[in-house]
Amino acid sequence: MAIEGLTKRFGKLTAVDNLSLHVEPGDIMGFIGPNGAGKTTTIRIAATLLKPDSGRVCIEDIDVVKDPEAVRPLIGFMPDFFGLYEDVLVWEYLDFFASAYHIPPHKRRRLIDDVLELTDLTTKRDSLVSELSRGMQQRLCLAKTLVHDPKLLLLDEPASGLDPRARIEIKELLKELRRMGKTILISSHILPELADLCNKITIIEQGRLVVSGDVETIMNQCRGGKVLSIGIIDRHEEALAFLEKLGTLCDVKCTDGLITAKYVGDPDEDYMVLTALTTNGFKVRSFTEQPLDLEDVFMKVTRGAVA
Amino acid sequence: MINTAAIRTRVCEVVRDSILDNPVIARELRTRMREWKAFAIFGGYVLLAAVVLLFHYGAEISRSSGHIVISRSVGLEVFRSLAWVQAVLLTFVLPSLTFSSLTQELERRTIEMLALTRLTAGKIVLGKQLAGLLFALILVICTLPLASLCVMLGGISPWEVGLCYILLAAWCYLLTSMGVFWSSLCTRTVASSLLAYGTAATYFFMTMSMGATATFAAGPSPSKVYVLAGLNPGFAPDMCTMNTQVYGIDIPVWLVAVGLHIWAGALMLLVSSTHVKYKFAERALPIRLMLIGLTATMTWLVIGDSTVTTSMAQNPEYVRGLIVIAVGVLLGLICLGTTAVATGVPQLQPSQSIWSYALSARKAFRTDIAGAIVFATIWSAVACGTLGISLIWALKSSFGSVTAATASPSIIGFIVSTLSRLCIDVCVISAAVAAVGVLSSCCAKLRKNAAGIVLLFTILAFSGYMIPLAYYVNGVTKTNGPLWQLAAFWPVTPILGLTVGWQDMPELWWQPEDSWMVTAAAYLVIAAVALWLSPKALARYGGVIEE
C-alpha cells in the first residue's frame, strides 16, 4: 500500500495533512498517534469509505478513489466501532459474508470452520451473535474480515474497549496472522499493544507524519545515546561524583541505590565505565543498558498537541 | 442472428446471482422467520380474513319461510370482502417489511462492512426488497384456502381468483419497493417509516377513490371502466373481469394495474440502488428513460380512455379544460422530478465554462447536475408531445362514432397550435428549475438543502398566482396594477391565456394569448442569471459535498 500526499479536511479542520506512507508486503505496520491525530481518517480513506481532498492511496497499484470496487476484495477492514448482525448465529454471520464475497457454497463450510478455529470461536459456532462477549464479538469481526483471504488488513483500534484478557487474545491472534504472512496496518493509541507485534511503526500527530520506519531504527534514533543503569552496593555519593568526572556520562542520577546515566561516549566502549568502577573499588551489583519502549518513543516524538 | 443459448445462460446467471445466491435475502428471511412476530403476523392476518369472511357470509344468508336462501353469487360477494381485508391489511403490513431495510444498516453501522463486500448496490437493494416480497407473498398465499372456499360457494371462477391474487402480488411488489425506496433516501428509520406509510396510505386512498368513482359512475353492471380503476386491489374481484377501452382497443384493467405497478416498483428499486451508501451505481440512463416512459404512457392511457374520448368528442370546451389540467399536472410533476435530478455535487472544473458544463447534452443521461437542464427539456418535450398526439389520436379514434363536427380540423389545429406553444413554455420553465437546481447545488453544502431551495422556488412560482387572486376574490381589483404583471412568472398564466382566455382578469401589459412568449422569456432570464451566478457561488460556498 502506498499513500502519497494524502490530505483530508472536514470543514476547517485538517484531519490528514500531506501524509505519505508505504507498507510493503508482509509488514506489520503500527499506526500510532494520540486521539484525533487522523489515524481513523487515513484508514477509512484506504478502505475506500472516504474520499480524500488531495493525494492518492494505491493498493497493489490500484487507486482506491478511481476503482474502489477493485480494491475492496483485496482488503479486510475492521473499524474501531462496528455493528454486527446480532440476530443471526455465528456461522450464519460468517456464511453471509463468505457469500457476499462470492465464495462458492461448497467451500464455505470448510472456510468458516477454519476462521472459527483461528479466532478460537469454534465452540460458539451455533451461538447467537448477540450472546457473545465484547471480546468474542471483536474476534468474530476479525474472523469476518478474514473470510475472503484479503492481502491487506486494515485494523482500526482492534483492541479498544476490551478487558486485559480479551486484549491479550486479540494480540495472540494478530501474531498468528503475522506468522501467516499477512500485511497489516494496525492503528492504536495504546502503545505497548503494538510493541512486540509490529516490525514497522508510523507515528502521526495532527494529521502530519512525525516518524516512520523500522521499530529498531526509530528507537535508536530517539534514544540519542544509551542509558546505563548501574547497581552499586554502597558509597553511592562517591560513585556519583566519580561517574560525573568520567566525561563519557551525563545526566547522572541516583534513585534507591540505582544509578542511571546517559552514555555519550564511543558506543562500543561503554564497558570502560564498568572497568573504571571496579578498578576504583566500587562494588558493582549490576550493569545494564536500560531498554527504551515504544511509549518512551511516542512521548519523545509527539508533543501532545492533540491529546 | 440472436444467440439464444448465450442469452439463456446470462439470464440464468443473473437469476442465480441476484436471487438464488443472494446472501441478503437469506439473512433477512432467516432473522425474520426466527422471530415469533412473523408467525403472529401470519396467524393474525389469516384469522382476521377468516373472521371477516365468516361475518360477511352470515350477512349474505337470508331466511324466508324457514328455508335458508343463499344467493348464487354468494362466493363473489364473500370474496369481495376477502379482497378488501387483504388490501387494507397489506397496506398496513407491507411498508413495515422494508422501510427499515437500509436505514437500519446505517443506524447499526453495518453498512460499511456490507459495502466493502463484492455485493453490488443492485443486489443489496433487490435482496432487501425480495426478502420483504417473499414474506408478503407467503401472507397472501396463506389466504388461498379461504379463497378456494369462495370458489366453491359460487359466483367467482378459479381463473378470476387467480387474477385477483396476481393483482395482490403486484400491490405487494409496489409497496415493498416503496419501502426500500424511502429507506434508501432517508438516514433515519423514523423518517423512512413515516414517508413509507404516508405514501402507501395516500396511494391506497387515491386508487380507492378512483376505483369507487369508476365503479359507481359506470352503473350496476358496467362492461367498460376507466383505465386506472383497477389499481387498488380492493376492487380486484370486480375489476379482474373488466376491460377498459383505450383508443378503441380493449385492454384488461388488471393488466394495466399490474404493468404500472411493476414499472413504478422497478423504477423505485433502480433509484434506491443509486442511494446505497458507499456504493456507486450509475443508473441515470435507465432511470431517466423509465421516468420519461412512465410519464408518456400514463398520459397516453389517461387521454385515450373511452370516457375521456367520448366527452372530448361531444364537447369541444372539454378539450380546453383537459389541456389546462394535463399541462398543469405535467408541469408540476416535471418540476418536482427536475428538483431530484438537478441537485447534487457540482463537478464544474475551475477552467471550464458554466455554459459548456450545464448545457452539455452528453450529460443528459448521466448522474451529474449539468445533465438536468437538457434532460428536463427532453422530458418536457416528450410529455407535451405525447399529450398532443394522444389528444389528436383520441379525437380521431372517436371520429366515426360520435359527431363528426367536433373532430373537425379546427379543433385539431387548436390542439397543435396551443400545445406547441405550451410545450415551449413547459420546456423553458423546467429547464429554468433545473438551472436554479444547479445554482442551489453550488450554494448549499447538503443536497437536501439544495433541493429545499429549488422546491421553494417552484412553490413560489406556482403559488405567486394566489396573491393577486386573493385580492381579486376580496374585491380589490386594480386593473392594470403593476403587481398583476408578475403574472409573467407564474407558470399557469400561459396555460390560461392560451386555453380559457383571460376573461374577467385585470389587464396585462401584453395580450394574454402572448403570455407563452412573455413567460418563456422571463424563465429564460431566470435560467441565464442562475447559470451565470453558479460558478461564483461555487467559488464562494463550495457547493454540495459528498458526505
Side-chain angles (χ1 to χ4, degrees):
Chain A
M1 179 173 78
I3 299 176
E4 279 158 23
L6 191 71
T7 302
K8 174 76 190 174
R9 288 183 206 90
F10 295 105
K12 284 177 184 164
L13 175 82
T14 305
V16 180
D17 191 3
N18 200 17
L19 181 76
S20 295
L21 188 66
H22 283 261
V23 185
E24 302 297 331
D27 275 352
I28 312 289
M29 168 81 84
F31 199 42
I32 308 167
N35 291 334
K39 304 185 293 291
T40 300
T41 308
T42 311
I43 289 185
R44 286 177 71 83
I45 292 171
T48 71
L49 296 175
L50 263 182
K51 282 194 180 148
D53 290 327
S54 63
R56 42 187 242 137
V57 180
C58 290
I59 292 169
E60 289 217 323
D61 296 328
I62 308 168
D63 192 314
V64 298
V65 177
K66 283 186 189 148
D67 198 356
E69 290 299 332
V71 168
R72 286 171 179 180
L74 302 175
I75 55 170
F77 170 60
M78 184 172 161
D80 55 344
F81 183 77
F82 58 88
L84 293 164
Y85 298 119
E86 298 201 330
D87 38 15
V88 291
L89 305 180
V90 167
W91 77 266
E92 286 171 349
Y93 180 77
L94 294 173
D95 185 70
F96 172 79
F97 280 100
S99 169
Y101 277 109
H102 294 182
I103 291 162
H106 63 275
K107 287 186 183 167
R108 279 181 219 156
R109 199 187 155 84
R110 177 77 194 276
L111 179 82
I112 290 167
D113 288 341
D114 286 350
V115 289
L116 282 175
E117 200 183 326
L118 181 70
T119 49
D120 200 16
L121 286 171
T122 311
T123 53
K124 295 288 172 188
R125 195 175 189 282
D126 295 315
S127 304
L128 269 177
V129 173
S130 57
E131 290 168 359
L132 299 184
S133 69
R134 171 91 183 136
M136 285 176 185
Q137 288 188 346
Q138 209 101 356
R139 292 211 302 272
L140 178 63
C141 186
L142 197 53
K144 178 236 86 178
T145 54
L146 294 170
V147 285
H148 62 294
D149 194 20
K151 292 185 174 171
L152 172 69
L153 288 173
L154 300 168
L155 311 177
D156 194 3
E157 312 249 358
S160 68
L162 294 185
D163 61 37
R165 171 173 284 276
R167 202 176 277 272
I168 290 165
E169 283 167 355
I170 284 275
K171 208 163 148 181
E172 288 306 313
L173 182 52
L174 292 175
K175 280 182 185 166
E176 185 59 36
L177 292 175
R178 182 177 65 180
R179 277 193 284 278
M180 288 164 67
K182 298 268 179 213
T183 309
I184 306 177
L185 179 72
I186 171 169
S187 86
S188 181
H189 64 277
I190 303 163
L191 301 163
E193 206 171 82
L194 304 179
D196 54 343
L197 191 68
C198 307
N199 65 336
K200 284 187 180 171
I201 54 169
T202 293
I203 298 178
I204 65 166
E205 193 177 24
Q206 285 184 305
R208 278 188 290 270
L209 183 83
V210 178
V211 65
S212 177
D214 287 346
V215 175
E216 287 301 313
T217 320
I218 291 176
M219 282 196 174
N220 286 337
Q221 272 175 13
C222 296
R223 196 177 296 247
K226 296 171 185 175
V227 176
L228 297 178
S229 167
I230 307 160
I232 290 178
I233 293 175
D234 51 14
R235 294 162 62 205
H236 295 118
E237 295 304 314
E238 276 179 61
L240 216 57
F242 173 76
L243 288 171
E244 272 173 357
K245 275 186 220 154
L246 267 181
T248 51
L249 294 171
C250 61
D251 291 344
V252 188
K253 283 175 219 152
C254 179
T255 39
D256 300 335
L258 194 70
I259 296 171
T260 52
K262 199 169 176 184
Y263 180 73
V264 289
D266 187 335
D268 294 331
E269 293 189 355
D270 51 355
Y271 68 92
M272 295 293 283
V273 179
L274 180 62
T275 317
L277 281 168
T278 48
T279 49
N280 282 282
F282 291 102
K283 292 173 190 163
V284 180
R285 183 194 283 143
S286 62
F287 185 86
T288 50
E289 184 186 331
Q290 203 174 56
L292 187 72
D293 65 16
L294 267 179
E295 199 128 12
D296 298 322
V297 174
F298 180 68
M299 291 311 284
K300 222 163 183 162
V301 295
T302 62
R303 286 147 293 165
V306 180
Chain B
M1 187 73 188
I2 301 164
N3 188 346
T4 47
I7 294 173
R8 205 183 310 132
T9 321
R10 180 77 194 117
V11 169
C12 287
E13 260 177 33
V14 169
V15 170
R16 195 190 60 224
D17 276 3
S18 50
I19 301 172
L20 300 179
D21 194 24
N22 189 332
V24 181
I25 302 181
R27 195 192 70 77
E28 294 274 331
L29 281 182
R30 256 178 198 150
T31 50
R32 187 166 283 149
M33 300 305 279
R34 200 167 273 158
E35 289 176 355
W36 62 268
K37 253 193 322 195
F39 298 95
I41 293 174
F42 287 141
Y45 186 85
V46 178
L47 194 71
L48 211 65
V51 167
V52 170
L53 208 82
L54 195 70
F55 273 106
H56 195 169
Y57 180 66
E60 285 293 320
I61 298 171
S62 58
R63 287 169 191 275
S64 80
S65 57
H67 294 283
I68 295 172
V69 183
I70 304 175
S71 138
R72 236 186 246 178
S73 61
V74 68
L76 173 66
E77 296 298 330
V78 175
F79 189 71
R80 277 195 184 120
S81 60
L82 182 65
W84 271 112
V85 161
Q86 293 210 64
V88 173
L89 285 180
L90 284 175
T91 311
F92 266 109
V93 176
L94 293 172
S96 75
L97 296 177
T98 48
F99 69 63
S100 65
S101 53
L102 288 160
T103 46
Q104 209 171 44
E105 299 275 353
L106 282 175
E107 286 167 343
R108 285 179 174 179
R109 295 195 68 170
T110 44
I111 189 78
E112 294 172 355
M113 296 202 233
L114 191 62
L116 289 182
T117 63
R118 297 176 79 167
L119 290 175
T120 56
K123 214 168 152 178
I124 295 172
V125 162
L126 199 64
K128 298 280 185 192
Q129 192 260 352
L130 281 178
L133 180 63
L134 285 174
F135 186 87
L137 289 183
I138 298 173
L139 265 184
V140 173
I141 289 168
C142 279
T143 59
L144 269 179
L146 296 175
S148 59
L149 258 177
C150 299
V151 174
M152 282 193 281
L153 287 170
I156 188 160
S157 71
W159 163 247
E160 285 161 11
V161 170
L163 286 182
C164 292
Y165 273 81
I166 290 176
L167 277 165
L168 281 170
W171 186 254
C172 294
Y173 174 80
L174 179 81
L175 292 201
T176 46
S177 304
M178 201 184 266
V180 175
F181 173 76
W182 287 120
S183 186
S184 71
L185 294 184
C186 299
T187 48
R188 295 262 156 235
T189 306
V190 181
S192 69
S193 64
L194 284 175
L195 285 165
Y197 270 113
T199 36
T202 312
Y203 188 65
F204 179 83
F205 287 116
M206 212 173 76
T207 50
M208 193 176 83
S209 63
M210 277 200 284
T213 316
T215 318
F216 294 126
S221 56
S223 58
K224 298 271 184 291
V225 285
Y226 183 57
V227 66
L228 300 179
L231 292 178
N232 192 310
F235 292 102
D238 295 307
M239 296 300 168
C240 66
T241 50
M242 285 202 218
N243 282 341
T244 181
Q245 204 171 43
V246 181
Y247 306 104
I249 311 159
D250 281 343
I251 303 174
V253 179
W254 67 268
L255 199 65
V256 177
V258 171
L260 283 178
H261 283 172
I262 288 180
W263 195 333
L267 184 60
M268 283 191 272
L269 287 182
L270 271 176
V271 175
S272 309
S273 71
T274 61
H275 283 81
V276 179
K277 203 170 178 191
Y278 306 122
K279 284 278 182 194
F280 177 75
E282 171 62 71
R283 299 204 208 285
L285 179 68
I287 289 173
R288 293 183 188 189
L289 284 180
M290 281 180 81
L291 207 56
I292 291 178
L294 189 63
T295 323
T297 312
M298 291 292 282
T299 313
W300 180 78
L301 284 176
V302 169
I303 300 293
D305 185 82
S306 55
T307 48
V308 178
T309 348
T310 316
S311 314
M312 210 153 59
Q314 283 164 349
N315 181 10
E317 280 308 307
Y318 187 82
V319 179
R320 295 174 195 275
L322 203 64
I323 290 177
V324 176
I325 296 169
V327 178
V329 168
L330 283 177
L331 188 64
L333 286 178
I334 292 170
C335 285
L336 276 181
T338 305
T339 306
V341 294
T343 48
V345 183
Q347 291 168 22
L348 174 66
Q349 303 302 320
S351 56
Q352 198 180 8
S353 114
I354 182 72
W355 307 105
S356 75
Y357 171 67
L359 301 175
S360 158
R362 278 188 305 117
K363 292 181 188 268
F365 291 96
R366 303 282 302 166
T367 310
D368 191 336
I369 55 164
I373 295 176
V374 180
F375 169 68
T377 315
I378 295 173
W379 190 7
S380 308
V382 172
C384 292
T386 316
L387 178 63
I389 292 168
S390 307
L391 282 170
I392 295 167
W393 191 354
L395 278 170
K396 294 260 187 199
S397 70
S398 60
F399 193 44
S401 58
V402 201
T403 42
T406 51
S408 65
S410 71
I411 285 218
I412 291 172
F414 168 76
I415 291 171
V416 171
S417 70
T418 310
L419 273 181
S420 58
R421 285 163 195 189
L422 285 180
C423 180
I424 294 172
D425 263 321
V426 175
C427 287
V428 173
I429 292 169
S430 57
V433 170
V436 172
V438 173
L439 174 63
S440 48
S441 295
C442 291
C443 297
K445 279 272 174 282
L446 296 174
R447 188 178 180 182
K448 59 179 178 188
N449 295 351
I453 299 173
V454 191
L455 272 182
L456 197 68
F457 170 79
T458 317
I459 292 168
L460 273 178
F462 275 89
S463 62
Y465 196 71
M466 304 303 287
I467 306 164
L469 205 65
Y471 279 120
Y472 187 70
V473 169
N474 288 322
V476 188
T477 49
K478 278 190 185 171
T479 308
N480 208 7
L483 195 61
W484 270 105
Q485 312 315 318
L486 282 174
F489 293 102
W490 305 327
V492 201
T493 313
I495 306 175
L496 296 178
L498 277 175
T499 49
V500 292
W502 207 241
Q503 289 155 0
D504 299 330
M505 303 289 193
E507 268 180 43
L508 294 172
W509 290 344
W510 59 90
Q511 290 299 313
E513 51 271 25
D514 290 337
S515 278
W516 68 279
M517 280 192 282
V518 180
T519 303
Y523 276 87
L524 269 181
V525 172
I526 291 177
V529 171
L531 284 185
W532 177 68
L533 286 174
S534 292
K536 296 173 176 52
L538 187 64
R540 184 155 179 188
Y541 302 108
V544 171
I545 48 170
E546 232 149 318
E547 286 211 352

